[in-house]
Amino acid sequence: MTAALNDPTVVIVHGLWMTGVESFLLQRHIQAQTGWRTTRFSYRSVTDPLADITAGLGEFIEALPAGPVHIVAHSLGGLITHELVHNYGFDRSGRVVLLCSPIQGSAAARGLARLPLGRRMLGQSVCDGLLEPATRSWQSDIQAGVLAGTRSMGLGRVISRVARPNDGTVALAETHLPGAADQIALPVSHSSVLFSPEAAAQATFFLVHGRFRR
């Protein structure tokens, strides 16, 4: 399928220590199922402040072709997206899916930050947004869906005591977002969510319908 001029565009926003290339299967699934344009927003997750990354995402979206813009954001990308919608404004009338995003802060990040060189490894954007427990909610007319993982496989369990259930890095409770249109948990880990056909199908379903498939 080929995207028409005013069809939606889907922006994939990657997480910490990633480049966006990891989401190629997710991107391909969304494009194949909807025919919409898909693109990736890449940023320097370690060196750049959260505010600069968020502003960069806003500028990236504004430069896209006319039509609605959806966002699918993984991990730290979910916090960036939340910041964009609530503090910078986002008026492209799309939907948002957060994948395994520690929107309420990250115990794993706090554990790593306590180690020598830990804060340097995490980078400025994480230190700006995820080292303290938060009480973030979704206060926007834009529909947001939260997809979390419950397969406890990942380095987060080694670095810190992550509450169960978790995806190996992020606790299910840390992904909870009051005000979201829908929330679902799948048996995927923090990284494998990007390669899961079921997660890709659920994310696509939410973009189209504003709810997850059950």
Side-chain angles (χ1 to χ4, degrees):
M1 291 182 284
T2 302
L5 180 61
N6 290 317
D7 275 355
T9 300
V10 181
V11 178
I12 311 294
V13 184
H14 64 79
L16 179 65
W17 302 327
M18 296 184 176
T19 65
V21 174
E22 308 83 2
S23 63
F24 73 98
L25 287 176
L26 172 63
Q27 187 175 355
R28 188 169 69 181
H29 179 95
I30 294 172
Q31 191 165 16
Q33 294 301 309
T34 63
W36 298 340
R37 288 176 295 266
T38 61
T39 187
R40 297 189 295 261
F41 171 70
S42 184
Y43 61 94
R44 295 175 294 190
S45 63
V46 173
T47 59
D48 289 351
L50 180 63
D52 290 356
I53 297 170
T54 305
L57 175 58
E59 292 169 2
F60 180 86
I61 289 173
E62 285 306 308
L64 292 173
V69 174
H70 300 300
I71 300 176
V72 179
H74 176 238
S75 193
L76 174 62
L79 176 63
I80 294 164
T81 301
H82 185 279
E83 291 292 299
L84 175 68
V85 171
H86 289 82
N87 295 329
Y88 287 77
F90 175 68
D91 58 0
R92 296 294 293 269
S93 67
R95 294 187 172 113
V96 167
V97 176
L98 308 184
L99 304 175
C100 300
S101 292
I103 204 72
Q104 304 301 349
S106 170
R110 292 192 293 274
L112 181 56
R114 289 192 289 268
L115 300 178
L117 300 180
R119 283 180 173 263
R120 185 175 297 179
M121 291 175 62
L122 287 169
Q124 190 62 50
S125 58
V126 170
C127 292
D128 287 346
L130 294 178
L131 289 189
E132 298 299 329
T135 55
R136 295 185 180 95
S137 61
W138 192 261
Q139 300 176 24
S140 171
D141 292 335
I142 297 167
Q143 290 179 308
V146 173
L147 191 155
T150 57
R151 180 163 291 164
S152 187
M153 297 174 60
L155 290 176
R157 297 190 310 156
V158 178
I159 296 168
S160 182
R161 193 175 182 86
V162 181
R164 290 183 176 272
N166 62 67
D167 64 12
T169 301
V170 175
L172 182 62
E174 292 173 335
T175 70
H176 181 63
L177 184 59
D182 201 359
Q183 307 193 43
I184 193 171
L186 299 179
V188 294
S189 70
H190 192 70
S191 296
S192 71
V193 67
L194 294 173
F195 310 102
S196 164
E198 176 62 14
Q202 287 286 6
T204 304
F205 193 89
F206 185 91
L207 294 182
V208 175
H209 300 285
R211 61 181 177 82
F212 293 114
R213 182 179 59 199
R214 288 180 170 82

